Amino acid sequence: MPKIVVSMWITLDGFVAGPDDEMDWLLADDQLQRYERELVESAGSLMLGRVTHADFAGYWPVAARNPDEPAAVRGYAQRLDALEKIVVSASGNIADWKGTRRIARIDPDEIAEIKRESGGTSWCTAVWR
């Protein structure tokens, strides 16, 4: 059965973002970018919380079509754009991004079904707001 891989960026002192959701502490170097590319290439779907999904939906679909982006960034963005996106949102107020479906909550039976149907590893960011 495919697995769910959680990818979460966190500081050594336990912070995910600053007081205004800034993540300027994150060093997006070649090693991080290589890790992320390998992760999404093997993924069958992408599971996100509502806020992270909105952030991704506002950036990655545009980057996927932007000829001014470096080829590696554009390729990564195109892969994210092509993946099935699963948004965990109780409110249902989710961003518009092709290939997105919503689940209201984390339900073990529904997660098992997602794993069965994903066709690969599900990549999950662990920012649930």
Side-chain angles (χ1 to χ4, degrees):
M1 178 180 286
K3 57 189 169 188
I4 294 178
V5 174
V6 175
S7 176
M8 183 173 179
W9 307 117
I10 188 167
T11 63
L12 290 175
D13 55 356
F15 290 94
V16 174
D20 296 316
D21 285 338
E22 68 271 11
M23 292 186 68
D24 52 356
W25 56 269
L26 184 62
L27 176 61
D29 61 6
D30 289 341
Q31 183 179 358
L32 175 67
Q33 290 175 11
R34 186 171 42 259
Y35 167 79
E36 286 290 319
R37 279 194 308 270
E38 290 171 4
L39 191 59
V40 300
E41 286 303 321
S42 66
S45 61
L46 175 63
M47 182 180 288
L48 303 161
R50 179 186 53 79
V51 173
T52 303
H53 178 266
D55 290 346
F56 276 35
Y59 180 77
W60 291 115
V62 174
R65 297 181 304 279
N66 184 347
D68 294 332
E69 290 285 357
V73 171
R74 208 170 46 252
Y76 176 81
Q78 289 166 351
R79 178 64 182 143
L80 287 181
D81 201 35
L83 282 171
E84 173 193 31
K85 275 75 69 182
I86 303 163
V87 183
V88 182
S89 171
S91 72
N93 297 326
I94 63 172
D96 185 31
W97 188 5
K98 74 175 181 174
T100 295
R101 72 173 158 135
R102 179 184 76 92
I103 60 175
R105 66 188 186 298
I106 301 293
D107 174 86
D109 293 332
E110 192 164 12
I111 297 303
E113 181 60 29
I114 289 168
K115 287 171 64 175
R116 275 192 293 280
E117 66 189 28
S118 75
T121 298
S122 292
W123 172 43
C124 173
T125 64
V127 180
W128 309 107
R129 297 188 222 171

